[in-house]
Amino acid sequence: MGLTSNNVVMMSVVASVLLFGAAVWLWPRFARRGAAAVLGRIGLLLVTQVSLFAALGLFANQSFGFYGSWSDLFGTETEPGVVVNYDAPGSTRVLVTESRRMNVSGGSSAPAAVGRIEKVTIKGPLSGLASPAYVYLPPQYFQPAYAERDFPAALVLTGYPGTTEALINGLKYPQTALRLNKEGRMRPVVLVMMRPTVAPPRDTECMDVPGGPRTETFFTKDVPSAVAGHYRVGGHARDWGVIGNSTGGYCALKMAMRHPESFSAAAGLSPSYKSPIDATTGDLFGGSKRLERENDLMWRLDHKPAPPVSLLVSSSEHGEKNYKDTVKFIKKVKEVNRRGEPTRISSIILNTGGHNFNTWRREVPAALEWLGGRLSDR
């Protein structure tokens, strides 16, 4: 059973409850003097507390997506080691490894009714990187009336370290897109769900690291090209948007601002506005102050031509550390817009909300509806 499966979490909860009950029941037997009784009490307390912490840890991991599998938890993850064929056409750069039905309550679960999720590996000939992803195909993708239609697509990114599964089980992007689609609030969009950590465990902040992983090239060039070559997805910037939370939110904004030829719209949920330098990132800029400035979104608005993209940012007045920076970013984009430059800005500002899945789940529906409204419908 997988680390994030409901069965594992429920079994751990049941085990902790049973062990707690056993400790209460057996405690009187050890309520006496002697080494055996003392060791018995210590054993009861230890086993009960370990089971309780295990249950809380598994539940927190499922909710926040820290680790996606047992191998990821114990540091034995080896999946990124995929050989890239640099001569491969676009149709072979996406390898489908699993297909799963959407879990919906009531009604048909056929792809033409609710869509389908495919687990894939995307190979990047330009970047030399490869990474797993989940692709959600909306129900219209399987309907005869749309057989000749190219669909818009959105790259969906987690935070760091994040797991791709958290976008499905935690933030529920496919389920939300399906609901909005059925309510007529969002056109059908193909979702390409990934984590920005394509060279684990390093946090590259979605940039081409000098002498290191070319993550920016992978997401802005390789992924759209590979997906458009395999699925019925448009291949122009007007067909592509990008959305993410936390580190993924920064990546989304930055990649749209730096690569308007790849993305026409970007939504950052609780984003930062420049790359950190810490133990998880290492030296991202190779000592180059110029490169560091160019990855600072505030600096770009002051010193670079504004690109023709639409941006959405989110924060909370109470509970989010990025609130002041978000207000500052919005103000700068408005100033750019008043000068007649083509960048557009929108926002979701909550009264209260932390840097967590509960807050992002409140923002995802509005953000997806906004994003879908800014992509082409051909």
Side-chain angles (χ1 to χ4, degrees), residues 102-119:
M102 285 280 290
N103 293 322
V104 294
S105 57
S108 173
S109 61
V114 297
R116 186 170 70 201
I117 298 174
E118 294 185 347
K119 186 177 183 179

Side-chain angles (χ1 to χ4, degrees), residues 34-259:
V38 171
L39 290 175
R41 292 197 294 271
I42 292 174
L44 285 174
L45 289 173
L46 182 62
V47 170
T48 303
Q49 290 185 3
V50 168
S51 67
L52 178 60
F53 283 121
L56 290 173
L58 287 167
F59 177 75
N61 183 69
Q62 186 190 58
S63 299
F64 297 101
F66 298 118
Y67 300 96
S69 64
W70 295 107
S71 60
D72 191 20
L73 174 65
F74 293 111
T76 59
E77 176 64 66
T78 58
E79 191 171 5
V82 178
V83 175
V84 178
N85 180 0
Y86 288 87
D87 297 323
S91 60
T92 62
R93 295 179 198 149
V94 175
L95 175 64
V96 180
T97 59
E98 179 187 338
S99 181
R100 62 172 70 171
R101 289 179 178 269
M102 285 280 290
N103 293 322
V104 294
S105 57
S108 173
S109 61
V114 297
R116 186 170 70 201
I117 298 174
E118 294 185 347
K119 186 177 183 179
V120 305
T121 296
I122 298 178
K123 303 177 181 181
L126 296 178
S127 64
L129 296 171
S131 183
Y134 285 98
V135 177
Y136 170 66
L137 303 170
Q140 288 83 353
Y141 193 90
F142 303 96
Q143 297 171 5
Y146 292 81
E148 303 300 322
R149 178 76 64 89
D150 282 343
F151 289 82
L155 174 62
V156 185
L157 297 174
T158 68
Y160 175 84
T163 65
T164 314
E165 290 82 359
L167 296 171
I168 301 172
N169 300 325
L171 294 179
K172 301 186 182 301
Y173 271 96
Q175 300 90 327
T176 303
L178 175 62
R179 175 173 59 82
L180 294 174
N181 187 343
K182 288 185 173 182
E183 293 173 356
R185 296 166 54 192
M186 179 183 177
R187 62 170 53 99
V189 175
V190 172
L191 303 181
V192 183
M193 296 170 283
M194 308 183 73
R195 63 175 184 169
T197 314
V198 296
R202 189 175 188 182
D203 175 13
T204 64
E205 294 289 310
C206 297
M207 68 170 291
D208 287 353
V209 180
R214 302 183 64 196
T215 312
E216 189 171 7
T217 295
F218 179 70
F219 283 126
T220 61
K221 306 297 182 187
D222 287 333
V223 170
S225 174
V227 171
H230 186 84
Y231 296 103
R232 298 198 315 274
V233 167
H236 301 91
R238 65 177 180 269
D239 304 308
W240 278 84
V242 55
I243 180 173
N245 59 276
S246 192
T247 298
Y250 164 69
C251 289
L253 299 175
K254 180 179 71 170
M255 291 192 295
M257 293 175 69
R258 285 173 57 88
H259 296 277

